[in-house]
Amino acid sequence: MNNRFSVIFLALLLQMVSCKDADQKKEGTSLEKNAFHTVSIDGDYSISIPKFMNGTTGLNEEASLQYQSLRREAYVIVIDEPKKGFEEVYRDLKQYDDHLSVIQNYRDARIKILSRTTEIIGKSEPESIKIHGLVAEALELDAKVNGLDNEISYFLTFVDGGEKVYMIMCWTLKNQKEEHKKTFKTIAESFKLIL
């Protein structure tokens, strides 16, 4: 009789725990939907940023948007520049490839700039995508950064915005890459020009 009571008690306890886990999972999914807020930059573009990130100014002096979470080791910046100006400068430097699109040239130029301060360990093939009707390319790369012990994983998205070209750069520690991958993809795919 005592053993039977113990088995029934244990079964009830396990059922209560599994119901509680299911409720927490439901709460987690509803939190995900509300986990971002939209930020507009200079009447130019808007982008969704996770609520766990805070605005900052120390990540990159060229960036029009900079957010970070030091606690979660997650960072995002957006760099934009006039397409015509970019093209002219790189043609003058004889570094513009007429066989590539503007966005592909911009991608190559930005990766070259990044490689000045990092040693690129691995890089995915660029993926052509559309973001709210805009031509874009996305890729991931892992790198060793001068002065840091841990490798960094970058998620780069390059967007052709008509008058401007944009780079959305998200990064984290390589060992947290999978944890942040979905969030970083959501950030990049939320990019919209303000018309």
Side-chain angles (χ1 to χ4, degrees):
M1 186 84 169
N2 223 357
N3 280 343
R4 187 172 176 201
F5 176 75
S6 296
V7 168
I8 292 171
F9 178 75
L10 186 59
L12 286 171
L13 186 63
L14 286 171
Q15 187 175 11
M16 286 183 350
V17 168
S18 68
C19 287
K20 187 176 179 183
D21 284 348
D23 287 346
Q24 285 176 343
K25 284 179 185 169
K26 282 180 193 168
E27 285 175 23
T29 15
S30 67
L31 276 176
E32 285 177 24
K33 292 175 189 170
N34 299 319
F36 291 83
H37 64 108
T38 301
V39 176
S40 297
I41 302 298
D42 301 327
D44 183 20
Y45 66 89
S46 67
I47 194 165
S48 295
I49 301 294
K51 289 183 179 175
F52 67 77
M53 289 181 147
N54 298 309
T56 187
T57 57
L59 298 175
N60 186 301
E61 62 185 29
E62 290 182 84
S64 55
L65 174 137
Q66 302 180 60
Y67 275 80
Q68 67 182 4
S69 171
L70 296 173
R71 189 171 61 83
R72 295 194 189 187
E73 293 286 354
Y75 307 87
V76 60
I77 63 172
V78 176
I79 294 176
D80 56 83
E81 53 192 292
K83 188 195 292 186
K84 190 176 179 183
F86 161 75
E87 198 173 335
E88 285 174 1
V89 167
Y90 276 79
R91 282 188 188 283
D92 288 348
L93 294 170
K94 308 271 189 263
Q95 293 180 6
Y96 193 88
D97 186 341
D98 285 315
H99 297 98
L100 300 176
S101 68
V102 174
I103 207 65
Q104 291 167 327
N105 274 285
Y106 188 60
R107 173 200 69 208
D108 291 350
R110 280 289 162 189
I111 290 172
K112 192 179 242 183
I113 291 168
L114 182 63
S115 67
R116 291 179 192 157
T117 55
T118 65
E119 178 190 343
I120 296 173
I121 306 301
K123 183 171 70 167
S124 70
E125 286 298 315
E127 177 188 358
S128 294
I129 57 174
K130 289 260 187 183
I131 299 176
H132 295 107
L134 301 173
V135 173
E137 281 201 359
L139 64 91
E140 299 173 22
L141 60 86
D142 299 323
K144 287 184 180 176
V145 178
N146 300 339
L148 292 180
D149 294 333
N150 297 317
E151 287 183 25
I152 304 294
S153 290
Y154 293 92
F155 295 79
L156 305 173
T157 306
F158 303 91
V159 182
D160 185 339
E163 297 292 314
K164 290 185 177 181
V165 283
Y166 300 83
M167 178 183 69
I168 304 159
M169 175 190 279
C170 303
W171 71 94
T172 189
L173 297 175
K174 187 177 178 184
N175 63 8
Q176 294 182 23
K177 180 179 187 173
E178 291 307 313
E179 177 186 337
H180 292 302
K181 190 173 193 166
K182 186 176 177 185
T183 300
F184 290 161
K185 186 175 184 202
T186 300
I187 292 170
E189 290 176 350
S190 72
F191 180 89
K192 282 184 187 173
L193 292 179
I194 298 172
L195 303 172

